[in-house]
Amino acid sequence: MLSIIICEDDWRQRQTIETYVKNYIMMESLDMELVFSTGNPLEVLEFVKSKPKMIGLYFFDVDLQHEMSGLTLAAEIRKYDDLGKIVFVTTHGELSYLTFTYKIEAMDYIIKDNKYDLQRRICESIQLAHERVNNDRGNQKKLFKLKDGDTVRSINTMDIIFFESSAASHKIILHLENGEIEFYGALKEIEEECDSFYRCHKSYLINRNHISKILKSERIVEMSNGETCLVSVRAMKNL
């Protein structure tokens, strides 16, 4: 789901944008939600930091009557949400060139000079962001399929922290952020299928993108969910 965030210091303007956003999402039945709206850019930044897996559509004013401008806020957001879509809604048309200076890659720059045009451009931005994010996800998403009882499940490989050999014969434990799934399989076959994973030990196949810390002297690797995996002497060198 695409999350929409608004940062506009004028509360009347903020309410107007909120109304346009909510109405368009409802009319078009889009898989999107207005999740945060404020006039304080620091609150936006903290919210985004707390949602590391979120992909957002951001509507920012340029002049937020704050030491942090909308441009600076957008540049900071890029550090945490590189797939997010940024739209500026402002009266300062003369500052549009700064989006290139800040390397923000804004999707649109809307001037608040016409109420009808404002609504139309906001709705167009929502539709375009929805299409682009779905394309981005489609290009990146790779699924791992497993049989869980009588059910075949498809799991995004980006969400898998690591695979571990189970104590039960011919079984593998798949570790996720908030849980695990045990299924029949072989680490060697999974290793050949999932090129973003690394065989750090005969019993562990770890997702390179979820490595948090490598403790070389102890020969263990700490993953993003706090769990640790053993690392063989030979694998440590390559790791």
Side-chain angles (χ1 to χ4, degrees):
M1 181 176 68
L2 185 62
S3 301
I4 298 179
I5 296 173
I6 299 169
C7 192
E8 164 64 67
D9 62 293
D10 185 320
W11 68 270
R12 291 184 181 86
Q13 290 280 358
R14 190 164 68 245
Q15 283 189 331
T16 298
I17 296 171
E18 287 176 7
T19 300
Y20 292 160
V21 167
K22 290 177 181 176
N23 287 347
Y24 189 74
I25 291 173
M26 181 178 65
M27 286 188 297
E28 298 298 321
S29 300
L30 299 176
D31 185 23
M32 307 170 80
E33 183 182 3
L34 175 60
V35 296
F36 198 70
S37 182
T38 181
N40 189 331
L42 295 179
E43 291 180 357
V44 171
L45 198 53
E46 288 304 310
F47 180 80
V48 173
K49 286 181 181 178
S50 70
K51 308 287 184 182
K53 295 184 179 180
M54 183 185 75
I55 299 177
L57 168 58
Y58 305 88
F59 289 99
F60 292 162
D61 192 355
V62 172
D63 183 5
L64 295 168
Q65 300 297 312
H66 190 279
E67 61 183 15
M68 178 180 282
S69 71
L71 291 163
T72 307
L73 173 60
E76 286 296 310
I77 291 294
R78 276 280 172 253
K79 298 176 182 178
Y80 304 96
D81 183 4
D82 58 344
L83 291 178
K85 311 303 176 187
I86 297 172
V87 177
F88 291 103
V89 184
T90 181
T91 56
H92 297 281
E94 74 281 3
L95 299 179
S96 61
Y97 74 95
L98 288 174
T99 60
F100 298 99
T101 303
Y102 281 78
K103 296 180 175 60
I104 294 165
E105 298 179 13
M107 193 175 73
D108 205 352
Y109 199 98
I110 303 172
I111 310 302
K112 306 173 187 175
D113 57 356
N114 180 293
K115 187 174 181 181
Y116 172 76
D117 190 56
L118 175 65
Q119 181 177 9
R120 178 182 63 81
R121 294 278 294 278
I122 286 175
C123 292
E124 287 177 353
S125 294
I126 293 171
Q127 187 63 46
L128 184 58
H130 180 262
E131 293 170 3
R132 287 187 178 178
V133 168
N134 282 341
N135 287 337
D136 290 343
R137 284 171 170 162
N139 291 335
Q140 288 192 356
K141 195 171 184 179
K142 186 174 181 181
L143 300 177
F144 177 79
K145 294 186 178 182
L146 60 89
K147 192 170 182 181
D148 184 12
D150 295 326
T151 305
V152 175
R153 297 182 59 175
S154 296
I155 300 172
N156 189 345
T157 55
M158 294 174 66
D159 296 332
I160 300 171
I161 311 296
F162 64 96
F163 296 94
E164 175 188 10
S165 294
S166 171
S169 182
H170 305 300
K171 279 198 168 186
I172 303 295
I173 303 172
L174 181 154
H175 293 257
L176 298 165
E177 190 71 34
N178 297 305
E180 55 188 52
I181 304 168
E182 193 173 55
F183 64 99
Y184 284 101
L187 282 182
K188 186 176 181 180
E189 294 176 0
I190 300 171
E191 182 182 2
E192 293 172 355
E193 177 184 348
C194 302
D195 53 15
S196 61
F197 285 71
Y198 180 68
R199 187 73 174 269
C200 65
H201 187 274
K202 65 179 182 179
S203 299
Y204 295 95
L205 183 63
I206 61 176
N207 189 335
R208 293 185 179 94
N209 299 310
H210 281 286
I211 294 174
S212 176
K213 191 186 300 180
I214 298 172
L215 303 173
K216 190 173 181 181
S217 60
E218 299 177 44
R219 294 220 311 273
I220 61 174
V221 59
E222 185 177 306
M223 307 305 290
S224 60
N225 63 348
E227 293 188 86
T228 57
C229 302
L230 299 174
V231 183
S232 68
V233 175
R234 185 175 180 179
M236 179 61 78
K237 291 176 67 176
N238 293 326
L239 190 62

